[in-house]
Amino acid sequence: MAFDRIAIIGLGLLGGSIGLAVHDHLPGTMTTGYDADPATRARARERGLVQTVFDSAADAVRNAQLVILCVPVGAMGAAAAEIAPALPADAVVSDVGSSKQSVARALAAALPANAVIPAHPVAGTERSGPDAGFASLFQQRWCIVTPPDGADPAKVAALSAFWEALGAQVEVMDPAHHDLVLAVTSHLPHLIAYTIVGTADDLEGVTQSEVIKYSAGGFRDFTRIAASDPTMWRDVFLSNKDAVLDMLQRFTEDLTALQRAIRVGDGDKLFDHFARTRDIRRSIIEEGQDDARPDFGRSDHGS
């Protein structure tokens, strides 16, 4: 099976990028969309993020074969309930949320009669809103599909094929395992970045001008992460709190060990740790998930 009619609910960075990527890679596919913000809907029409922007979520999904919810994870349940009365019985409902267990529960509760197959394209930038999207966002990035038990294999395959058509590499994964992996690779790094930038802002001995002036060091890259959408990340931490707290505890223990090594002058321990973690950076480059340029491979889009 293939999806010829796709509805996108939420027309910010991810929703807009999906619409543009469908336009480029699946030109025969009809796209509709909706966003709760009237200004976003107007800008989405101007940019042509989807073929038709509706003024209600129900109208946007009325004839859809695939509905993708691109709203903060804390709003998934409400968005699903809003579209439920107009949703075709055979439509597949998916999402782009960064935590999967909580989203799966919310969508299943709101749409018990529909096929719900959550997914997470591991792609994005620090930018948000309808001007942030671009068609190549998913190229050579991973999309993790997390079907529930008993999901129709044909529909899982169709959703996977959809993401592959947009340029993504697809991995099928258990929702709980996804949340643990993303707690390490995405959620904890964002929490650390928000903390470091906040700490620098709070320091009385460092002026704001000095923070900006010398940010060409590592601090600059933390600020890029910390510029991400605050609503989205608030919801991510609350929805995946168990895995995040587990990883935060492990990180705290490792940080304490490094703190002790610095205090006692254990240079060997520091060198061994830094050498091991440098190898991880090299592996990321070898996997094609970034490159070795000094700007960390960031394009003008910030991808």
Side-chain angles (χ1 to χ4, degrees):
M1 63 181 294
F3 303 113
D4 297 321
R5 300 185 300 277
I6 298 172
I8 302 168
I9 306 301
L11 296 171
L13 168 64
L14 289 174
S17 295
I18 292 170
L20 293 172
V22 169
H23 178 272
D24 282 6
H25 297 286
L26 297 168
T29 303
M30 184 185 77
T31 56
T32 58
Y34 168 77
D35 195 281
D37 183 355
T40 296
R41 295 199 299 272
R43 184 59 180 146
R45 290 187 181 102
E46 293 172 357
R47 289 201 63 201
L49 298 183
V50 292
Q51 292 169 357
T52 308
V53 177
F54 286 94
D55 290 326
S56 77
D59 287 338
V61 307
R62 202 170 299 279
N63 296 306
Q65 296 170 323
L66 171 64
V67 177
I68 305 176
L69 300 177
C70 303
V71 300
V73 292
M76 288 288 180
E82 187 176 358
I83 66 173
L87 195 62
D90 59 350
V92 173
V93 179
S94 190
D95 75 302
V96 297
S98 184
S99 57
K100 296 273 62 95
Q101 293 181 94
S102 64
V103 168
R105 289 192 295 267
L107 297 186
L111 303 169
N114 284 93
V116 173
I117 305 175
H120 175 209
V122 187
T125 77
E126 72 276 16
R127 301 178 186 180
S128 58
D131 286 306
F134 55 99
S136 62
L137 178 63
F138 310 109
Q139 290 291 322
Q140 297 303 307
R141 300 304 181 205
W142 285 99
C143 181
I144 302 173
V145 177
T146 59
D149 292 339
D152 184 342
K155 292 179 178 178
V156 175
L159 183 63
S160 298
F162 166 77
W163 281 108
E164 289 170 348
L166 302 192
Q169 304 173 80
V170 173
E171 181 88 12
V172 177
M173 190 179 291
D174 173 76
H177 188 65
H178 166 280
D179 287 355
L180 181 64
V181 170
L182 268 293
V184 177
T185 62
S186 178
H187 304 168
L188 184 59
H190 276 81
L191 188 64
I192 293 168
Y194 281 121
T195 303
I196 289 176
V197 175
T199 298
D201 186 54
D202 291 339
L203 286 175
E204 295 181 359
V206 179
T207 68
Q208 185 179 26
S209 62
E210 286 174 325
V211 169
I212 295 172
K213 180 177 179 180
Y214 301 117
S215 65
F219 185 77
R220 175 201 60 189
D221 298 304
F222 280 112
T223 62
R224 189 191 69 83
I225 297 173
S228 300
D229 181 60
T231 300
M232 180 184 77
W233 282 101
R234 176 202 63 194
D235 289 357
V236 166
F237 290 125
L238 294 178
S239 66
N240 196 30
K241 64 179 180 180
D242 291 340
V244 169
L245 289 172
D246 285 347
M247 290 304 103
L248 186 59
Q249 179 61 39
R250 175 63 183 268
F251 173 78
T252 301
E253 293 168 1
D254 291 344
L255 189 62
T256 299
L258 289 177
Q259 183 180 9
R260 183 181 184 281
I262 294 170
R263 180 182 297 113
V264 303
D266 189 347
D268 290 341
K269 182 176 180 61
L270 294 173
F271 180 87
D272 290 345
H273 184 82
F274 299 157
R276 178 167 60 88
T277 55
R278 182 177 64 173
D279 289 340
I280 294 175
R281 171 64 186 169
R282 290 172 173 169
S283 297
I284 290 172
I285 294 170
E286 291 170 1
E287 286 290 324
Q289 296 303 298
D290 211 335
D291 65 36
R293 287 180 292 166
D295 66 351
F296 287 78
R298 311 290 178 224
S299 70
D300 291 339
H301 292 297
S303 60

